[in-house]
Amino acid sequence: MRCWVREALRGQGAARRVRAEAPARALARRSGLRALLACAAVAFPLWLTGCAGIDLDQVSVPLASTSPASEFADMSPSQRREHEKLVASYGGAYDDPELKALIQKVVERLVAASERPDLKYRVTVLNSPAINAFALPDGSLYVTRGLLALANDTSELSSVLAHEMAHVIARHATIREDQVKQAVLVSRVISDVVNDPDLGALAMQKSRRTLASFNRGQELEADAIGVGIAARAGFDPYGASRFLTDMGRFSEMKSTAFSGSSSTTPDMDFLSSHPATPERISIAIANARQYAPAAGPSDGERDRSAYFNVINGMVFGDDPKEGFVRGRKFLHPKLGFTFTAPEGFSLENTSQAVLGATQTGREALRLDAVRIPADQSLAQYLSSGWIDGVEINTVESLTVNGFSAATAVARGDQWSFRMFAIRFGSDVYRLIFAARELTPELDKQFRAAADTFRRVSSGEADTVKPLRVRIVQVGLGDNVEKIAGKMQVPDRPVERFLILNGLDANARLKYGEKVKIIAD
C-alpha cells in the first residue's frame, strides 16, 4: 500500500472515490480468495513476462516532479505527463548515480549495435520491488530495482534493455497504443449508441484478447531482436536465457507462496496470452546459438564484478517510506500505522492494498483504505451494501487501540468474511479476512489480528531500515546453507538465495567468489 493511497483518499472527485470502492465491490462479486488476491495475481504476469502495458488513466498518483528537469528537455508536455504519472505509480525514481551510469553505458553500447543507432533512449530506474521493464514509443526505457536485484551480470541486464529497445525499434509500443485506442473507441460506441454497457464490456474484453495474442508475437520478436543486439554489442548472448530462467523460478516461488500450489490462478489470464517461461527460454537459447555455438567464458562479456559493485547496497523489496512487510507485520511509517497478520499468513504489499494468504489457500486477507463521509458511522458503512451478504445482526461498533471501529460478518456461497472498518485520522482502513470455513477459533484469530492495528510512534518509524542487496565473499567452510542463513527474509532462505544468485539446487560455492544476500 504505497503513498498513492494518501492522494486517493483526499476525495478529489467522484471518479476517484468510485475507484477506491472498486476493490470492495469486486470482493463481493467474485470468488472470495481470488478477489482478495487479485492485485497480487495481476502483478505476477509483470514478473514473468518482463514487460507489460500500463493503463495510466487508472493510476491515482500525484504529479510532483520525479526526475531532474534536464530529462524533460526533449519531451513534449504530453510525454512528460505520461512519464511523471508512470514513474509516480511505481514509487518514484530510484536515485543512484553509479547504477544509472552503468545502465546508461550499457544502453549506449546496445544502441550502437542496434538496427537503429539514430534513436535516443532515456533510462529511468523505478523505485519498485516488482520485477519489470518496459518501453514507451518515445524511447523512454524503464527498469525496476527489483529486476536489477535479480540480474547477476551486465549481460543479463543488457538482454532486458535490448529486449525493450527492440519493442521501440519494431514500433510495438506504438502499434499497441493505436490498438488500445481503437478497442476503447469500439466499446464506447457500443455502450453509448446501443446503450448496453454489458455489450460494450464484452466487446472490450474480446478486443483485449486480440491485443494480448498480438503481444505474444511481439514478445518473441523482441526476444529475437534483443539477443542479436546484445550479441553484436559484445555481451554474452545467453544472458537472456539465464535471466528468463531466474525470473520464472522467482515467479513460481511467489505464486506458490500465495496460492499453496505452483499452478497459476484464473485471474492470471495475462500469462496465457504470453509465452510460457520454458518456451521463451528454449527460443532464447536457440537465438543465442546463432551468435555463439554454446554458452561459455568466451561467448561475450558478462562483467559480474562490475555489476555487483553498483548494486551492492541497493534497496531490496518494499521501501519503508512506502510501507513494507516484515514477516507477518506490515508497517507504514509515512501513513503512521502498523498491523500484524495471524499466524500462518504471508503478506504482499501491492500498489492497491496489502494482501495476505495462508499456504493452504483457505484463508486470506486484504487491507485497503477509503474515504467515507465524516457524518456516516462505521457501523452504517458496513451495513450500506458495499459488500454483499452482510449479516446485519453481526454489525458491532468497537474501538481498536483508541480508534473508532466497527466489525461485521458477511457470508457467500463458498467464503465467509470477517470485516473491520477502522477510522484513522480522516481515513478509514478496511481490514477484510476471508475463510472457507469461519470457525469460532478462526474468527477469534481474526479479531486478535485486527486488535494489532495501531499508530506508529515517530521514534519507531525512525528506526525502520530498508533491506538491501549485500555482496559478500565466500569464505573457507562456507556453503549455500551457511550463507543463506544470513538472508533476512521471511521464509525459504535457501531457495531465495539460489534464485537470487542464479544457482541450481546442487550448486557448490567456490572460495573467494562473490554472491548476493539480502540484509539491512
Side-chain angles (χ1 to χ4, degrees):
M1 184 183 293
R2 295 175 171 79
C3 64
W4 73 269
V5 171
R6 177 63 60 185
E7 176 73 9
L9 295 178
R10 287 177 181 161
Q12 296 181 5
R16 186 160 294 174
R17 288 194 293 272
V18 168
R19 284 199 295 271
E21 292 286 343
R25 294 198 184 103
L27 180 65
R29 291 170 171 80
R30 301 170 63 189
S31 173
L33 180 60
R34 284 168 52 194
L36 283 167
L37 297 182
C39 289
V42 298
F44 294 152
L46 303 188
W47 296 328
L48 190 58
T49 63
C51 56
I54 295 176
D55 185 357
L56 294 174
D57 290 335
Q58 295 300 315
V59 178
S60 298
V61 293
L63 295 182
S65 178
T66 54
S67 303
S70 59
E71 293 194 8
F72 300 127
D74 58 346
M75 279 187 178
S76 68
S78 61
Q79 289 173 341
R80 173 171 176 169
R81 287 193 298 270
E82 185 174 24
H83 168 81
E84 287 292 306
K85 293 178 73 174
L86 192 153
V87 171
S89 72
Y90 272 83
Y94 185 72
D95 185 20
D96 186 326
E98 290 187 9
L99 178 60
K100 190 167 184 178
L102 174 68
I103 297 173
Q104 192 63 46
K105 182 179 179 181
V106 171
V107 168
E108 290 172 0
R109 286 177 56 178
L110 294 173
V111 171
S114 72
E115 292 83 351
R116 291 291 306 277
D118 57 307
L119 295 180
K120 295 182 179 180
Y121 296 88
R122 182 188 308 101
V123 180
T124 301
V125 179
L126 300 171
N127 186 28
S128 169
I131 296 176
N132 201 5
F134 42 89
L136 297 183
D138 64 357
S140 295
L141 298 178
Y142 302 87
V143 58
T144 62
R145 57 175 171 77
L147 185 147
L148 296 173
L150 186 62
N152 278 288
D153 54 46
T154 54
S155 71
E156 294 185 15
L157 171 63
S158 73
S159 73
V160 174
L161 296 173
H163 173 98
E164 299 309 326
M165 290 169 58
H167 280 304
V168 177
I169 292 171
R171 298 186 68 253
H172 291 164
T174 302
I175 294 171
R176 176 170 182 166
E177 185 176 283
D178 293 341
Q179 293 281 333
V180 169
K181 289 179 180 178
Q182 182 63 29
V184 171
L185 178 61
V186 170
S187 67
R188 285 177 178 171
V189 168
I190 293 176
S191 297
D192 296 342
V193 178
V194 184
N195 195 26
D196 189 340
D198 291 336
L199 186 59
L202 180 61
M204 187 63 185
Q205 184 179 23
K206 290 181 177 179
S207 297
R208 282 175 174 166
R209 287 176 182 169
T210 302
L211 287 172
S213 178
F214 183 60
N215 284 340
R216 181 183 184 281
Q218 290 178 333
E219 290 299 317
L220 293 176
E221 183 182 8
D223 281 346
I225 296 173
V227 168
I229 293 173
R232 292 193 300 272
F235 295 104
D236 177 13
Y238 290 90
S241 59
R242 290 197 307 274
F243 184 76
L244 285 170
T245 298
D246 294 341
M247 190 163 60
R249 292 169 64 193
F250 181 83
S251 179
E252 183 177 4
M253 180 187 68
K254 297 290 288 187
S255 178
T256 302
F258 269 83
S259 68
S261 69
S262 60
S263 61
T264 59
T265 69
D267 290 297
M268 297 164 63
D269 61 338
F270 191 77
L271 285 175
S272 64
S273 61
H274 282 65
T277 299
E279 179 187 9
R280 290 186 74 183
I281 292 171
S282 64
I283 294 175
I285 291 174
N287 290 332
R289 284 176 179 159
Q290 299 180 45
Y291 303 93
S298 61
D299 290 331
E301 180 183 322
R302 293 189 184 182
D303 207 353
R304 181 184 178 98
S305 179
Y307 187 74
F308 273 16
N309 285 340
V310 297
I311 66 169
N312 188 24
M314 182 177 67
V315 172
F316 182 87
D318 297 328
D319 188 330
K321 294 182 297 184
E322 311 301 346
F324 68 95
V325 171
R326 291 288 188 274
R328 294 185 295 115
K329 184 176 182 179
F330 176 76
L331 189 149
H332 202 306
K334 184 178 292 185
L335 297 181
F337 75 90
T338 183
F339 93 100
T340 303
E343 289 281 353
F345 272 75
S346 296
L347 295 180
E348 180 83 5
N349 183 24
T350 78
S351 61
Q352 300 292 326
V354 179
L355 307 170
T358 57
Q359 282 287 334
T360 64
R362 295 184 60 83
E363 296 85 29
L365 68 82
R366 177 186 178 100
L367 173 69
D368 62 14
V370 293
R371 168 67 62 86
I372 69 172
D375 59 354
Q376 182 181 25
S377 73
L378 297 179
Q380 290 173 333
Y381 175 67
L382 291 182
S383 306
S384 63
W386 63 269
I387 186 169
D388 295 336
V390 175
E391 297 181 346
I392 300 301
N393 64 322
T394 66
V395 177
E396 172 189 353
S397 296
L398 65 156
T399 59
V400 174
N401 290 313
F403 302 112
S404 174
T407 185
V409 170
R411 299 188 188 276
D413 294 337
Q414 300 181 34
W415 293 86
S416 296
F417 305 91
R418 165 60 72 176
M419 307 175 298
F420 294 86
I422 305 171
R423 197 181 295 276
F424 185 70
S426 60
D427 309 330
V428 172
Y429 286 85
R430 303 184 298 196
L431 184 54
I432 308 167
F433 298 93
R436 285 286 190 181
E437 184 181 1
L438 187 60
T439 64
E441 177 59 31
L442 195 55
D443 193 44
K444 182 178 180 181
Q445 294 179 31
F446 291 163
R447 282 180 171 270
D451 284 339
T452 67
F453 185 99
R454 62 177 176 82
R455 186 185 302 278
V456 174
S457 67
S458 58
E460 185 178 1
D462 291 341
T463 62
V464 176
K465 295 181 180 180
L467 293 177
R468 297 182 182 274
V469 176
R470 300 295 185 187
I471 306 301
V472 298
Q473 194 166 20
V474 177
L476 288 172
D478 282 343
N479 55 28
V480 168
E481 289 74 17
K482 186 174 181 180
I483 293 188
K486 301 176 182 179
M487 296 267 287
Q488 295 178 359
V489 293
D491 56 16
R492 295 185 284 185
V494 172
E495 182 180 4
R496 293 177 185 272
F497 173 79
L498 292 174
I499 294 174
L500 190 67
N501 287 280
L503 302 172
D504 59 39
N506 300 316
R508 291 176 176 267
L509 301 181
K510 299 178 182 179
Y511 171 73
E513 75 173 311
K514 294 181 179 180
V515 293
K516 293 180 286 185
I517 65 170
I518 304 303
D520 58 20

